Amino acid sequence: MPTIKKFMYINRKAPYGTVYALESLEVVLIGAAFDQDVSLAFIGDGVYQLTKGQNTDGIGQKNFSPTYAALGDYEVTKIYVEKESLEERGLTLDDLQHLVWEDEDEDYAEKDSIRLVSRAELADILDEQDVVLSF
Amino acid sequence: MKFSIQVSEGPYNHEASVTAINFIKAAVEAGHVIFRVFFYHDGVNNATRLAVPPQDDRNVVAQWSELAKENNLDMVVCIAAAQRRGIMDADEAKRQGLDADNLAEGFRISGLGQLIEAGIESDRLLVFGA
């Protein structure tokens, strides 16, 4: 039986301005091949990574936000967004992409990937993890 | 305990790289095992042998190379992050048609899978910087 650990990737920074968000996504995509129990968390300015309608024309950089919508195909189905971080920035779930995954066990029913959690709930979820990578 | 280390910042803008070196020294001294050190983001800049800091400053790249030699460390530089930032070993430079390589002694270039594997195989994965 191969080891399955709980991996959490914590995304804390805005999508552009620094390279952390992009290179975090690269780790998530590669890591998906390892069949671990993966979840993502978006806190602080990291919540901006999931906003819809991103347009990077003005900064000459690739808009990589469509990749988040593909995470379901990589069996990354648990995406935690911290409620307080959204509120502090005047955002709601409606400002974020609608991310879904297909549940093979339920005839490929489409399910929401994003789980809105409070800061306190996220602390408990973090506590359950084996490996936490922060970006 | 078996540790792996991720270094996410370069040698000089941030203290993170030197803190990682100090942590590794202390961990080894206390009898712990370092499974792997993985260099990501600007952390790949710790692996250029072309760094020449002023004589009165510490040479962080040389410190890493020395640490690897003394402790037989597996120091892996992420290939995707390295290529963006011009960190090349001889093979990769040749493959890319470049006229120079700069990977310092003690480092090797490999993929992100090595980071995930380090997370799976180690008791703790510690991230320095970012």
Side-chain angles (χ1 to χ4, degrees):
Chain A
M1 196 51 194
T3 313
I4 295 181
K5 285 190 171 181
K6 290 171 87 75
F7 272 69
M8 175 172 265
Y9 300 89
I10 302 184
N11 298 284
R12 300 174 295 137
K13 303 201 196 291
Y16 311 102
T18 65
V19 79
Y20 300 107
L22 173 64
E23 287 192 331
S24 168
L25 205 46
E26 288 179 358
V27 181
V28 173
L29 297 178
I30 297 284
F34 283 75
D35 292 329
Q36 300 294 301
D37 182 358
V38 172
S39 58
L40 271 57
F42 292 84
I43 64 173
D45 281 348
V47 297
Y48 286 117
Q49 293 179 28
L50 297 179
T51 53
K52 57 188 174 194
Q54 293 180 25
N55 181 340
T56 57
D57 289 349
I59 57 170
Q61 195 181 330
K62 191 170 101 178
N63 176 359
F64 57 86
S65 64
T67 311
Y68 295 105
L71 287 174
D73 299 335
Y74 286 82
E75 291 178 35
V76 177
T77 62
K78 291 185 289 250
I79 298 179
Y80 298 101
V81 175
E82 194 188 74
K83 194 168 165 277
E84 288 88 339
S85 294
L86 275 184
E87 286 169 2
E88 285 160 8
R89 286 158 184 81
L91 299 172
T92 68
L93 268 187
D94 288 339
D95 295 305
L96 306 184
Q97 295 189 58
H98 182 215
L99 302 181
V100 295
W101 61 287
E102 291 176 348
D103 191 344
E104 282 177 24
D105 298 334
E106 290 186 23
D107 200 22
Y108 296 92
E110 223 172 57
K111 296 186 174 177
D112 285 344
S113 303
I114 292 183
R115 304 170 190 200
L116 197 61
V117 291
S118 71
R119 196 158 279 170
E121 286 168 330
L122 190 57
D124 290 338
I125 295 164
L126 259 169
D127 201 34
E128 297 166 1
Q129 305 300 315
D130 297 309
V131 183
V132 177
L133 295 122
S134 74
F135 295 95
Chain B
M1 193 171 272
K2 201 195 287 181
F3 289 111
S4 281
I5 309 293
Q6 180 186 325
V7 180
S8 298
E9 297 295 348
Y12 295 103
N13 267 28
H14 295 253
E15 181 73 20
S17 170
V18 174
T19 306
I21 289 174
N22 290 336
F23 175 84
I24 292 168
K25 283 181 181 167
V28 169
E29 206 167 306
H32 299 295
V33 173
I34 307 295
F35 176 77
R36 180 169 293 149
V37 186
F38 191 86
F39 295 85
Y40 197 47
H41 302 305
D42 273 0
V44 301
N45 291 316
N46 288 288
T48 173
R49 62 183 168 82
L50 300 181
V52 187
Q55 281 188 353
D56 60 353
D57 196 359
R58 66 241 189 278
N59 187 330
V60 178
V61 175
Q63 285 184 10
W64 276 114
S65 292
E66 203 176 314
L67 193 67
K69 204 171 173 181
E70 283 170 359
N71 300 289
N72 199 23
L73 293 182
D74 184 23
M75 304 205 305
V76 179
V77 179
C78 168
I79 187 163
Q83 285 181 339
R84 276 201 182 101
R85 295 165 176 86
I87 305 296
M88 299 280 155
D89 64 8
D91 286 347
E92 196 53 30
K94 196 176 167 192
R95 208 173 69 84
Q96 301 288 343
L98 298 169
D99 62 0
D101 60 82
N102 60 347
L103 193 73
E105 205 180 319
F107 295 88
R108 66 184 177 95
I109 288 185
S110 189
L112 279 165
Q114 301 270 307
L115 172 62
I116 306 298
E117 188 195 43
I120 296 170
E121 295 296 328
S122 308
D123 299 310
R124 295 282 189 279
L125 172 69
L126 291 98
V127 182
F128 288 80

